[in-house]
């Protein structure tokens, strides 16, 4: 998404919602839940994400702000004070279970 618009992005890893059952299954199989395909998820870019979250909540649609776009090309993922650069996805974590 950032590449398409020629922008960078900064995302807080802990703000990305992951269901508890997904975390438990991933722990059992030794997988990273952030490497899974997010079927049914939608990433939206808007000028004011918090206003959009509030409007969606009125329709009982769960949403959260996970980051923001930035000038430049850096795609950064923050995990507390650790800064990592986003890498292109390899394969879905679920496929790793059956390899």
């Amino acid at each position: 998404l950032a590449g398409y618009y020629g922008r960078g992005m900064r995302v807080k890893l802990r703000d990305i919602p992951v269901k508890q059952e997904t975390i438990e299954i991933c722990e059992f199989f030794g997988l990273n839940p952030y490497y899974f395909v997010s079927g049914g998820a939608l990433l939206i870019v808007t000028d004011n994400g918090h206003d959009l979250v509030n409007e969606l909540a009125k329709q009982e649609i769960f949403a959260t702000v996970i980051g923001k776009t930035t000038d430049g090309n850096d795609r950064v993922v923050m995990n507390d004070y650790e800064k990592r650069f986003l890498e292109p996805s390899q394969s879905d974590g679920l496929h790793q279970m059956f390899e």
Side-chain angles (χ1 to χ4, degrees):
L1 181 68
Y4 180 81
Y5 289 104
R7 305 276 296 176
M9 66 180 190
R10 188 176 196 92
V11 174
K12 292 182 183 176
L13 186 68
R14 297 197 187 269
D15 288 348
I16 300 171
V18 179
K19 292 187 176 188
Q20 184 61 35
E21 56 266 30
T22 301
I23 292 170
E24 292 176 18
I25 290 169
C26 287
E27 285 178 356
F28 181 82
F29 287 105
L31 300 171
N32 185 330
Y34 298 102
Y35 289 160
F36 277 57
V37 172
S38 300
L42 177 63
L43 182 61
I44 300 173
V45 177
T46 183
D47 289 334
N48 193 319
H50 296 288
D51 286 349
L52 179 60
V53 167
N54 291 334
E55 288 301 314
L56 290 170
K58 292 176 186 176
Q59 301 298 318
E60 299 181 3
I61 299 171
F62 173 76
T64 188
V65 174
I66 63 169
K68 63 181 182 176
T69 59
T70 61
D71 293 331
N73 292 320
D74 290 346
R75 286 125 190 177
V76 178
V77 178
M78 299 297 299
N79 187 7
D80 293 328
Y81 296 105
E82 181 183 359
K83 176 180 176 180
R84 292 187 183 177
F85 291 92
L86 189 64
E87 300 172 6
S89 66
Q90 302 298 320
S91 66
D92 178 42
L94 191 58
H95 290 116
Q96 294 175 10
M97 286 179 24
F98 299 105
E99 290 180 348

